[in-house]
Amino acid sequence: MLKETLENLIKNSSSLITIQEIAIKILNNQRISVNEACELYHHAPLSMLGMLAFNIKQQKSGDKVFFNRNFHIEPTNICVNNCRFCSYKKPQGDTQAWEMTMDEILHKVSQYKDSGATECHIVGGVHPDRDINYYGTLIKEVKKIIPGIVVKAFTAVEIDYMIKKAGISIEDGLKRLKECGLESIPGGGAEIFDETLRNKICPEKTSSQRWLEIHKTAHQLDIKTNATILYGHIETIEQRFEHLNRLRLLQDETQGFNCFIPLKYRHENNSMSQIGETPLIDDLKTYAISRIFLDNFPHIKAYWVMSGLETTKLALQYGADDIDGTVNNSTKIYSMAGVSGKPTMTVEQIVDAIKQVNLIAVERDTFYNEIKIYND
């Protein structure tokens, strides 16, 4: 029925013939190019993008929307990098800076011992004095407190710094972290892969090639990872979808990415604040075309902490099939950039939000194994 509606919309559309041709390719499950993605962004009706993306989402996961029970640990926001878009980093001595001790971190973990959480997500600033041995010990101690927890930890940028500091290879560094209990890597630090733009907004940060190499090596070691993009700042649409293309090429090679997460630039309290934020229509186009373009990614996540619950529910109609998890007010990354409200939702609230858009809530683990289906 949906395919018939789409075909009628395409046939009756006043859009450019190229849009009609691209849409037919998508309906026939054919891969689109970066140029075709840009053409869709600039000229396709939003309603068409939504239906095309939702059709693909249904092919991959039906009416299911995934979430998990998780919490974040952010050991420090002191960082060696100076990204222009970042509201999170604070210098040592600043009233908003923190540097949790190992005991403080483990005390926080212990508070979730009987919470039912299945994932501990650890990310933070790239601290100049903490090395791979420190973070390896941290993982081990977390697993002692909650033996069954999956530790998803450290962006490629954090991993890059700690293995360079140790003077070892990417492979040896990741092997060491895996031996300590690392099971998955989040997708942060990707930002925008275009190096010219990267040099403008995050010049000290790990290069795009190095980011991809770290994730590729993780996949080869059977460590599943996620991928992100930071969109809505000074990038061009072409740069946005070329970023997705590089992710798609790596996924073709390794099949190691679990999901893709579009992250919207938030403008408060950073040195790029004057550019403002991109509108909702851009968010929805980005979700939809990400779902269409990344044909080899099993899941697209609408991270509710970043986008807010109402935009997240809309994103579920534009290709997203995951909204992250309970979080439990354990992250400050987006609240420091101006996102209002405390980042916490109960399982009941998540399930209710998914049901409001007539989809089926499914509790998952980090690797998308289904724990419980809420279909009553």
Side-chain angles (χ1 to χ4, degrees), residues 20 23 63 70 104 108 118 130 144 194 219 257 334:
Q20 297 175 23
D63 286 335
N70 63 344
E104 288 171 334
K108 186 170 184 180
T118 58
R130 292 181 174 177
K144 285 180 185 177
D194 183 274
H219 299 168
F257 288 116
Y334 281 97

Side-chain angles (χ1 to χ4, degrees), residues 17-199:
I17 186 66
T18 53
I19 296 300
Q20 297 175 23
E21 292 170 346
I22 296 166
I24 290 169
K25 282 182 68 174
I26 295 165
L27 286 174
N28 291 326
N29 294 314
Q30 297 174 13
R31 178 166 284 186
I32 66 169
S33 68
V34 170
N35 287 340
E36 288 169 328
C38 293
E39 192 72 19
L40 287 176
Y41 181 91
H42 290 301
H43 299 295
L46 184 61
S47 58
M48 180 187 290
L49 290 177
M51 284 190 282
L52 288 168
F54 191 77
N55 184 47
I56 293 170
K57 172 259 180 292
Q58 287 199 307
Q59 290 177 33
K60 291 184 177 293
S61 56
D63 286 335
K64 295 176 180 178
V65 175
F66 299 94
F67 72 96
N68 68 345
R69 300 185 195 225
N70 63 344
F71 62 93
H72 289 224
I73 298 293
E74 295 174 357
T76 183
N77 67 340
I78 295 167
C79 187
V80 300
N81 295 313
N82 295 286
C83 303
R84 291 184 59 208
F85 53 78
C86 182
S87 309
Y88 185 72
K89 174 198 170 161
K90 301 297 176 187
Q92 286 177 311
D94 189 282
T95 57
Q96 289 186 292
W98 69 84
E99 187 175 1
M100 296 168 68
T101 66
M102 181 77 74
D103 286 344
E104 288 171 334
I105 294 169
L106 297 178
H107 174 71
K108 186 170 184 180
V109 171
S110 69
Q111 295 173 353
Y112 297 97
K113 188 172 182 179
D114 299 314
S115 68
T118 58
E119 177 184 288
C120 174
H121 182 288
I122 307 175
V123 296
V126 182
H127 193 285
D129 301 326
R130 292 181 174 177
D131 60 15
I132 195 166
N133 296 317
Y134 177 90
Y135 288 114
T137 300
L138 174 60
I139 296 170
K140 289 179 181 178
E141 294 300 318
V142 169
K143 301 280 276 188
K144 285 180 185 177
I145 295 170
I146 313 178
I149 202 84
V150 171
V151 176
K152 183 173 76 177
F154 316 129
T155 66
V157 177
E158 293 170 88
I159 291 170
D160 186 29
Y161 185 83
M162 67 177 78
I163 62 178
K164 283 179 177 175
K165 191 175 179 70
I168 57 179
S169 68
I170 293 172
E171 182 177 1
D172 287 344
L174 286 171
K175 281 181 177 178
R176 188 179 300 185
L177 290 170
K178 184 176 180 180
E179 287 168 0
C180 292
L182 178 70
E183 295 168 83
S184 182
I185 295 173
E191 322 310 358
I192 287 285
F193 287 150
D194 183 274
E195 289 297 348
T196 301
L197 181 57
R198 205 172 182 85
N199 285 334

Side-chain angles (χ1 to χ4, degrees), residues 300-352:
I300 303 292
K301 181 185 292 186
Y303 183 39
W304 70 264
V305 174
M306 176 275 298
S307 60
L309 186 56
E310 293 308 311
T311 298
T312 296
K313 289 192 289 186
L314 283 172
L316 297 178
Q317 306 299 316
Y318 286 81
D321 70 344
D322 186 278
I323 67 170
D324 199 75
T326 49
V327 182
N328 200 29
N329 199 25
S330 54
T331 177
K332 297 182 180 179
I333 292 173
Y334 281 97
S335 59
M336 293 178 76
V339 176
S340 61
K342 292 183 177 181
T344 184
M345 277 204 293
T346 65
V347 169
E348 292 74 21
Q349 288 171 324
I350 290 174
V351 170
D352 183 61

